[in-house]
Amino acid sequence: MTKKKPTPITKRLTTTTLINHVAADLGTLPDEVRPTVMATFDAIARANASGHDVAITNFVTFVSHQVKRRTVRNPQTGEAIPVPAHRVVRLRVSGHLADAVRRRDRRVTIRKAAKGTKTLPTTPSEE
């Protein structure tokens, strides 16, 4: 069985267009893919909201970070405004993805390389 080429992405990727691209790549309907994609996003959100980091190998790490309380100033009035301590999500991009973006490699994949190889495959068809 030959592997299908990934659907080219030519504009900003929204949730709906992501679902459509995944469905096209898998040869299925968007309504069949939507629950899986949304469940993935929900799991990432729940983990971060619980204070846990989410690491997706060769892609990105969503880091739950605690910010200390501080005082800021209103630029119009100069009034000091206290900002309480709170949690934020930070993204740490993998070196593999950062390199692919620098090279403008539109065929990048996050699949792991086969054992014994030093580089990652650029497309599923080149594996």
Side-chain angles (χ1 to χ4, degrees), residues 69-90:
R69 69 181 172 89
R70 61 194 174 110
T71 303
V72 297
R73 297 222 173 264
N74 180 331
Q76 291 181 340
T77 64
E79 174 189 6
I81 302 171
V83 177
H86 58 282
R87 296 198 79 76
V88 296
V89 176
R90 292 187 176 169

PDB file of all heavy atoms in Angstrom, residues 69-90:
ATOM      1  N   ARG A  69       3.358  37.424  41.985  1.00  0.00           N
ATOM      2  CA  ARG A  69       2.554  38.647  42.048  1.00  0.00           C
ATOM      3  C   ARG A  69       3.478  39.833  41.834  1.00  0.00           C
ATOM      4  O   ARG A  69       4.674  39.803  42.137  1.00  0.00           O
ATOM      5  CB  ARG A  69       1.806  38.759  43.362  1.00  0.00           C
ATOM      6  CG  ARG A  69       2.639  39.009  44.554  1.00  0.00           C
ATOM      7  CD  ARG A  69       1.761  39.074  45.818  1.00  0.00           C
ATOM      8  NE  ARG A  69       2.610  39.134  46.972  1.00  0.00           N
ATOM      9  CZ  ARG A  69       3.054  40.275  47.488  1.00  0.00           C
ATOM     10  NH1 ARG A  69       2.679  41.420  47.004  1.00  0.00           N
ATOM     11  NH2 ARG A  69       3.860  40.253  48.531  1.00  0.00           N
ATOM     12  N   ARG A  70       2.909  40.893  41.266  1.00  0.00           N
ATOM     13  CA  ARG A  70       3.719  42.070  40.979  1.00  0.00           C
ATOM     14  C   ARG A  70       2.814  43.294  40.915  1.00  0.00           C
ATOM     15  O   ARG A  70       1.593  43.179  40.944  1.00  0.00           O
ATOM     16  CB  ARG A  70       4.476  41.905  39.668  1.00  0.00           C
ATOM     17  CG  ARG A  70       3.569  41.732  38.473  1.00  0.00           C
ATOM     18  CD  ARG A  70       4.335  41.239  37.253  1.00  0.00           C
ATOM     19  NE  ARG A  70       3.413  40.961  36.168  1.00  0.00           N
ATOM     20  CZ  ARG A  70       3.308  41.672  35.070  1.00  0.00           C
ATOM     21  NH1 ARG A  70       4.088  42.723  34.882  1.00  0.00           N
ATOM     22  NH2 ARG A  70       2.454  41.355  34.134  1.00  0.00           N
ATOM     23  N   THR A  71       3.434  44.435  40.815  1.00  0.00           N
ATOM     24  CA  THR A  71       2.698  45.688  40.691  1.00  0.00           C
ATOM     25  C   THR A  71       3.021  46.301  39.334  1.00  0.00           C
ATOM     26  O   THR A  71       4.179  46.391  38.943  1.00  0.00           O
ATOM     27  CB  THR A  71       3.098  46.669  41.811  1.00  0.00           C
ATOM     28  OG1 THR A  71       2.859  46.027  43.070  1.00  0.00           O
ATOM     29  CG2 THR A  71       2.281  47.932  41.750  1.00  0.00           C
ATOM     30  N   VAL A  72       1.970  46.708  38.625  1.00  0.00           N
ATOM     31  CA  VAL A  72       2.147  47.375  37.334  1.00  0.00           C
ATOM     32  C   VAL A  72       1.565  48.771  37.438  1.00  0.00           C
ATOM     33  O   VAL A  72       0.862  49.103  38.391  1.00  0.00           O
ATOM     34  CB  VAL A  72       1.472  46.581  36.187  1.00  0.00           C
ATOM     35  CG1 VAL A  72       2.108  45.217  36.031  1.00  0.00           C
ATOM     36  CG2 VAL A  72      -0.015  46.457  36.414  1.00  0.00           C
ATOM     37  N   ARG A  73       1.846  49.599  36.474  1.00  0.00           N
ATOM     38  CA  ARG A  73       1.331  50.971  36.478  1.00  0.00           C
ATOM     39  C   ARG A  73       0.405  51.194  35.300  1.00  0.00           C
ATOM     40  O   ARG A  73       0.689  50.779  34.186  1.00  0.00           O
ATOM     41  CB  ARG A  73       2.474  51.978  36.409  1.00  0.00           C
ATOM     42  CG  ARG A  73       3.385  51.916  37.607  1.00  0.00           C
ATOM     43  CD  ARG A  73       3.769  53.310  38.064  1.00  0.00           C
ATOM     44  NE  ARG A  73       4.514  53.223  39.304  1.00  0.00           N
ATOM     45  CZ  ARG A  73       3.966  53.371  40.497  1.00  0.00           C
ATOM     46  NH1 ARG A  73       2.696  53.637  40.615  1.00  0.00           N
ATOM     47  NH2 ARG A  73       4.706  53.277  41.577  1.00  0.00           N
ATOM     48  N   ASN A  74      -0.693  51.884  35.558  1.00  0.00           N
ATOM     49  CA  ASN A  74      -1.594  52.307  34.497  1.00  0.00           C
ATOM     50  C   ASN A  74      -0.876  53.419  33.742  1.00  0.00           C
ATOM     51  O   ASN A  74      -0.540  54.449  34.331  1.00  0.00           O
ATOM     52  CB  ASN A  74      -2.910  52.807  35.103  1.00  0.00           C
ATOM     53  CG  ASN A  74      -3.894  53.256  34.051  1.00  0.00           C
ATOM     54  OD1 ASN A  74      -3.529  53.703  32.982  1.00  0.00           O
ATOM     55  ND2 ASN A  74      -5.171  53.136  34.394  1.00  0.00           N
ATOM     56  N   PRO A  75      -0.619  53.254  32.442  1.00  0.00           N
ATOM     57  CA  PRO A  75       0.149  54.268  31.718  1.00  0.00           C
ATOM     58  C   PRO A  75      -0.565  55.617  31.594  1.00  0.00           C
ATOM     59  O   PRO A  75       0.086  56.644  31.454  1.00  0.00           O
ATOM     60  CB  PRO A  75       0.375  53.642  30.341  1.00  0.00           C
ATOM     61  CG  PRO A  75      -0.657  52.588  30.220  1.00  0.00           C
ATOM     62  CD  PRO A  75      -0.974  52.130  31.603  1.00  0.00           C
ATOM     63  N   GLN A  76      -1.880  55.628  31.682  1.00  0.00           N
ATOM     64  CA  GLN A  76      -2.610  56.890  31.545  1.00  0.00           C
ATOM     65  C   GLN A  76      -2.651  57.676  32.846  1.00  0.00           C
ATOM     66  O   GLN A  76      -2.538  58.896  32.848  1.00  0.00           O
ATOM     67  CB  GLN A  76      -4.039  56.634  31.055  1.00  0.00           C
ATOM     68  CG  GLN A  76      -4.077  56.136  29.622  1.00  0.00           C
ATOM     69  CD  GLN A  76      -5.501  55.905  29.140  1.00  0.00           C
ATOM     70  OE1 GLN A  76      -6.421  55.759  29.940  1.00  0.00           O
ATOM     71  NE2 GLN A  76      -5.670  55.874  27.837  1.00  0.00           N
ATOM     72  N   THR A  77      -2.800  56.973  33.979  1.00  0.00           N
ATOM     73  CA  THR A  77      -2.946  57.679  35.258  1.00  0.00           C
ATOM     74  C   THR A  77      -1.721  57.553  36.150  1.00  0.00           C
ATOM     75  O   THR A  77      -1.575  58.316  37.100  1.00  0.00           O
ATOM     76  CB  THR A  77      -4.164  57.136  36.030  1.00  0.00           C
ATOM     77  OG1 THR A  77      -3.936  55.753  36.352  1.00  0.00           O
ATOM     78  CG2 THR A  77      -5.439  57.275  35.207  1.00  0.00           C
ATOM     79  N   GLY A  78      -0.879  56.552  35.881  1.00  0.00           N
ATOM     80  CA  GLY A  78       0.280  56.328  36.728  1.00  0.00           C
ATOM     81  C   GLY A  78      -0.065  55.569  38.004  1.00  0.00           C
ATOM     82  O   GLY A  78       0.786  55.333  38.848  1.00  0.00           O
ATOM     83  N   GLU A  79      -1.322  55.187  38.152  1.00  0.00           N
ATOM     84  CA  GLU A  79      -1.785  54.475  39.340  1.00  0.00           C
ATOM     85  C   GLU A  79      -1.159  53.078  39.405  1.00  0.00           C
ATOM     86  O   GLU A  79      -1.076  52.371  38.402  1.00  0.00           O
ATOM     87  CB  GLU A  79      -3.309  54.354  39.291  1.00  0.00           C
ATOM     88  CG  GLU A  79      -3.907  53.524  40.391  1.00  0.00           C
ATOM     89  CD  GLU A  79      -5.394  53.261  40.165  1.00  0.00           C
ATOM     90  OE1 GLU A  79      -5.926  53.629  39.101  1.00  0.00           O
ATOM     91  OE2 GLU A  79      -5.996  52.660  41.053  1.00  0.00           O
ATOM     92  N   ALA A  80      -0.708  52.667  40.586  1.00  0.00           N
ATOM     93  CA  ALA A  80      -0.156  51.329  40.786  1.00  0.00           C
ATOM     94  C   ALA A  80      -1.305  50.323  40.883  1.00  0.00           C
ATOM     95  O   ALA A  80      -2.267  50.541  41.610  1.00  0.00           O
ATOM     96  CB  ALA A  80       0.687  51.290  42.051  1.00  0.00           C
ATOM     97  N   ILE A  81      -1.182  49.227  40.135  1.00  0.00           N
ATOM     98  CA  ILE A  81      -2.211  48.197  40.124  1.00  0.00           C
ATOM     99  C   ILE A  81      -1.554  46.876  40.511  1.00  0.00           C
ATOM    100  O   ILE A  81      -0.637  46.408  39.831  1.00  0.00           O
ATOM    101  CB  ILE A  81      -2.853  48.072  38.732  1.00  0.00           C
ATOM    102  CG1 ILE A  81      -3.445  49.411  38.297  1.00  0.00           C
ATOM    103  CG2 ILE A  81      -3.901  46.969  38.706  1.00  0.00           C
ATOM    104  CD1 ILE A  81      -3.891  49.440  36.864  1.00  0.00           C
ATOM    105  N   PRO A  82      -2.016  46.253  41.599  1.00  0.00           N
ATOM    106  CA  PRO A  82      -1.441  44.960  41.980  1.00  0.00           C
ATOM    107  C   PRO A  82      -1.983  43.844  41.078  1.00  0.00           C
ATOM    108  O   PRO A  82      -3.174  43.776  40.809  1.00  0.00           O
ATOM    109  CB  PRO A  82      -1.907  44.766  43.420  1.00  0.00           C
ATOM    110  CG  PRO A  82      -3.150  45.582  43.527  1.00  0.00           C
ATOM    111  CD  PRO A  82      -3.006  46.723  42.564  1.00  0.00           C
ATOM    112  N   VAL A  83      -1.095  42.982  40.608  1.00  0.00           N
ATOM    113  CA  VAL A  83      -1.483  41.820  39.814  1.00  0.00           C
ATOM    114  C   VAL A  83      -1.165  40.595  40.657  1.00  0.00           C
ATOM    115  O   VAL A  83      -0.013  40.380  41.037  1.00  0.00           O
ATOM    116  CB  VAL A  83      -0.707  41.764  38.477  1.00  0.00           C
ATOM    117  CG1 VAL A  83      -1.059  40.510  37.691  1.00  0.00           C
ATOM    118  CG2 VAL A  83      -0.978  43.010  37.647  1.00  0.00           C
ATOM    119  N   PRO A  84      -2.180  39.783  40.976  1.00  0.00           N
ATOM    120  CA  PRO A  84      -1.939  38.615  41.825  1.00  0.00           C
ATOM    121  C   PRO A  84      -1.121  37.538  41.103  1.00  0.00           C
ATOM    122  O   PRO A  84      -1.041  37.532  39.866  1.00  0.00           O
ATOM    123  CB  PRO A  84      -3.343  38.107  42.145  1.00  0.00           C
ATOM    124  CG  PRO A  84      -4.202  38.613  41.041  1.00  0.00           C
ATOM    125  CD  PRO A  84      -3.578  39.901  40.582  1.00  0.00           C
ATOM    126  N   ALA A  85      -0.552  36.621  41.872  1.00  0.00           N
ATOM    127  CA  ALA A  85       0.157  35.481  41.293  1.00  0.00           C
ATOM    128  C   ALA A  85      -0.851  34.654  40.503  1.00  0.00           C
ATOM    129  O   ALA A  85      -2.016  34.546  40.886  1.00  0.00           O
ATOM    130  CB  ALA A  85       0.788  34.644  42.395  1.00  0.00           C
ATOM    131  N   HIS A  86      -0.399  34.111  39.388  1.00  0.00           N
ATOM    132  CA  HIS A  86      -1.289  33.311  38.559  1.00  0.00           C
ATOM    133  C   HIS A  86      -0.476  32.355  37.691  1.00  0.00           C
ATOM    134  O   HIS A  86       0.742  32.471  37.587  1.00  0.00           O
ATOM    135  CB  HIS A  86      -2.166  34.215  37.678  1.00  0.00           C
ATOM    136  CG  HIS A  86      -1.396  35.127  36.784  1.00  0.00           C
ATOM    137  ND1 HIS A  86      -0.798  36.290  37.227  1.00  0.00           N
ATOM    138  CD2 HIS A  86      -1.100  35.043  35.465  1.00  0.00           C
ATOM    139  CE1 HIS A  86      -0.179  36.879  36.223  1.00  0.00           C
ATOM    140  NE2 HIS A  86      -0.341  36.146  35.144  1.00  0.00           N
ATOM    141  N   ARG A  87      -1.167  31.391  37.073  1.00  0.00           N
ATOM    142  CA  ARG A  87      -0.520  30.432  36.187  1.00  0.00           C
ATOM    143  C   ARG A  87      -0.757  30.843  34.746  1.00  0.00           C
ATOM    144  O   ARG A  87      -1.825  31.340  34.389  1.00  0.00           O
ATOM    145  CB  ARG A  87      -1.068  29.024  36.414  1.00  0.00           C
ATOM    146  CG  ARG A  87      -0.759  28.499  37.813  1.00  0.00           C
ATOM    147  CD  ARG A  87      -0.903  27.010  37.900  1.00  0.00           C
ATOM    148  NE  ARG A  87       0.230  26.291  37.347  1.00  0.00           N
ATOM    149  CZ  ARG A  87       1.415  26.150  37.928  1.00  0.00           C
ATOM    150  NH1 ARG A  87       1.644  26.701  39.083  1.00  0.00           N
ATOM    151  NH2 ARG A  87       2.374  25.453  37.360  1.00  0.00           N
ATOM    152  N   VAL A  88       0.256  30.628  33.910  1.00  0.00           N
ATOM    153  CA  VAL A  88       0.151  30.881  32.476  1.00  0.00           C
ATOM    154  C   VAL A  88       0.693  29.657  31.739  1.00  0.00           C
ATOM    155  O   VAL A  88       1.381  28.820  32.319  1.00  0.00           O
ATOM    156  CB  VAL A  88       0.945  32.141  32.043  1.00  0.00           C
ATOM    157  CG1 VAL A  88       0.369  33.385  32.669  1.00  0.00           C
ATOM    158  CG2 VAL A  88       2.413  31.993  32.366  1.00  0.00           C
ATOM    159  N   VAL A  89       0.364  29.567  30.465  1.00  0.00           N
ATOM    160  CA  VAL A  89       0.903  28.500  29.622  1.00  0.00           C
ATOM    161  C   VAL A  89       1.960  29.112  28.714  1.00  0.00           C
ATOM    162  O   VAL A  89       1.724  30.126  28.066  1.00  0.00           O
ATOM    163  CB  VAL A  89      -0.204  27.839  28.770  1.00  0.00           C
ATOM    164  CG1 VAL A  89       0.388  26.791  27.836  1.00  0.00           C
ATOM    165  CG2 VAL A  89      -1.265  27.229  29.658  1.00  0.00           C
ATOM    166  N   ARG A  90       3.119  28.493  28.708  1.00  0.00           N
ATOM    167  CA  ARG A  90       4.193  28.907  27.808  1.00  0.00           C
ATOM    168  C   ARG A  90       4.458  27.766  26.840  1.00  0.00           C
ATOM    169  O   ARG A  90       4.287  26.602  27.181  1.00  0.00           O
ATOM    170  CB  ARG A  90       5.462  29.230  28.584  1.00  0.00           C
ATOM    171  CG  ARG A  90       5.322  30.472  29.432  1.00  0.00           C
ATOM    172  CD  ARG A  90       6.639  30.840  30.053  1.00  0.00           C
ATOM    173  NE  ARG A  90       6.508  32.097  30.788  1.00  0.00           N
ATOM    174  CZ  ARG A  90       7.412  32.564  31.602  1.00  0.00           C
ATOM    175  NH1 ARG A  90       8.538  31.889  31.820  1.00  0.00           N
ATOM    176  NH2 ARG A  90       7.225  33.713  32.220  1.00  0.00           N
TER     177      ARG A  90
END
